[in-house]
Amino acid sequence: MLLYDCRTAPSPRRVRIFLAEKAIEIPLREVDLRHGEQFGSEFRAITEDVTVPVLELDDGQRLCDIIGICRYFEEVHPQPALFGSTPLERALIDGVQRWCDREGFYAVMDAFRNSTPGLKNRALPGPADYPQLAALAERSRSRIERFFERLDAMLGRSAYVAGPRFSIADITAMVSVDFAGWIKMTPAAEQTRLHRWLQAVRSRPSAAA
Amino acid sequence: MLLYDCRTAPSPRRVRIFLAEKAIEIPLREVDLRHGEQFGSEFRAITEDVTVPVLELDDGQRLCDIIGICRYFEEVHPQPALFGSTPLERALIDGVQRWCDREGFYAVMDAFRNSTPGLKNRALPGPADYPQLAALAERSRSRIERFFERLDAMLGRSAYVAGPRFSIADITAMVSVDFAGWIKMTPAAEQTRLHRWLQAVRSRPSAAA
């Protein structure tokens, strides 16, 4: 088993944290995104998505989706459960994870990719070039503000974003907040519940993964 | 149990099809999106997202996410399995479903909401108003073309989008293709594998749900 990884990128970090929470160790292979290794023929043969993470199983089959990879490990190594234990927990965690992904992670990605000078024509990950849309970067920043606000409100109702226990939704949320730091957006000082949670999740050993 | 629904909207249709595949019948309550019922105080008390579907459980707890709702029913009524049966199947289906959602469903939503005269300032679903971005609508149309191309290629490798069996990924993909019809985008005639699959999934009784 092998995980194609990039130490500095937010997407594979989500998987590394998930693995650390489950105390699973697998070999990592670094892909040098900064110098465009993902666009070379060797990596294109691994995945046409030209993105990391990619999990290669022992039979050569590959999984190229963050949540798909995490789901695989949840199935083969169920404890601690990070997708929930009961039908209702699983439903809530899937829903909150999706919300954090859409309103947090992808909003930050849109803001970052549509405004960073080094990413001209790379407004979306994947094999196709798309020009940056400055107005989309701007709109995304406003979405991220709302993401912080609502996260703070949610964390007033439960210790973790999808309930009383740490879950994959917390991983998505924490990595999204950290990723927002790349575009100099951080939760406001008065979002104290969000800060309390951030301190808690960032101090878990897995956060260093 | 009660599902807040809207007969004409693509999002709740995904849940209705899922329920039909599992032969689960639950009461539906129509929300009149066309006349803005979702923005009224009564529906805002149901969900601050002001979107359908919403599943209300017998204890009053509510699930407001399409996939979260489907996951709940998969857990309490596992057969037929629409999220896969083995760890690898579950991982692949989660990944392909997410890809169809992002590159299909949300791309169509962006193209539609950012170009439809009646949706000025409603470029995103949810409680906040966002102005339309014509350039985003245009970019999304190009994304949808690639979605059709890749779907056609995927369907050359397996009978259904995430493998040999019908899954939730097929529901997301089919509803996305149908939704693309709203902005007059349809698969090209030469995408024969995509047309073969479309005919198969559209002729399942669940497609009428």
Side-chain angles (χ1 to χ4, degrees), chain A residues 9-204:
Chain A
S11 292
R13 184 178 172 223
R14 292 166 62 177
V15 172
R16 290 198 311 271
I17 296 172
F18 189 90
L19 291 173
E21 287 285 340
K22 286 188 179 276
I24 297 171
E25 288 187 32
I26 60 167
L28 305 177
R29 175 155 324 151
E30 184 74 6
V31 180
D32 186 354
L33 298 188
R34 190 172 296 249
H35 294 98
E37 184 184 348
Q38 72 275 29
F39 302 118
S41 56
E42 203 177 323
F43 194 70
R44 276 188 199 269
I46 305 292
T47 170
E48 58 180 320
D49 289 331
V50 304
T51 51
V52 287
V54 175
L55 178 69
E56 195 166 81
L57 301 176
D58 290 338
D59 66 358
Q61 179 123 8
R62 297 187 187 110
L63 297 171
C64 304
D65 179 79
I66 298 167
I67 300 298
I69 294 171
C70 293
R71 180 75 64 183
Y72 180 79
F73 287 113
E74 181 85 352
E75 292 283 326
V76 296
H77 196 308
Q79 295 304 327
L82 297 175
F83 282 94
S85 299
T86 66
L88 183 59
E89 264 181 36
R90 289 183 176 155
L92 287 167
I93 289 170
D94 263 23
V96 176
Q97 194 290 127
R98 266 164 53 85
W99 177 80
C100 292
D101 208 24
R102 190 173 62 239
E103 301 301 323
F105 198 82
Y106 279 96
V108 177
M109 192 194 74
D110 277 343
F112 175 67
R113 285 188 166 260
N114 285 281
S115 65
T116 300
L119 290 173
K120 286 237 182 308
N121 290 319
R122 297 296 308 155
L124 285 170
D129 284 345
Y130 287 98
Q132 293 176 325
L133 304 175
L136 179 58
E138 210 40 57
R139 186 184 86 174
S140 303
R141 295 183 74 92
S142 139
R143 242 176 139 171
I144 296 160
E145 279 171 21
R146 288 174 185 275
F147 173 66
F148 289 160
E149 282 166 23
R150 188 145 162 204
L151 213 47
D152 182 61
M154 288 158 72
L155 290 162
R157 295 191 290 270
S158 59
Y160 293 96
V161 297
R165 275 176 293 283
F166 182 89
S167 76
I168 189 165
D170 293 283
I171 299 177
T172 304
M174 178 182 70
V175 174
S176 301
V177 174
D178 288 349
F179 190 15
W182 292 26
I183 51 166
K184 311 233 185 303
M185 291 189 72
T186 50
E190 64 267 28
Q191 289 166 343
T192 53
R193 298 157 309 182
L194 177 44
H195 284 286
R196 187 259 314 142
W197 164 84
L198 265 180
Q199 194 168 16
V201 291
R202 282 177 177 160
S203 64
R204 297 170 80 92

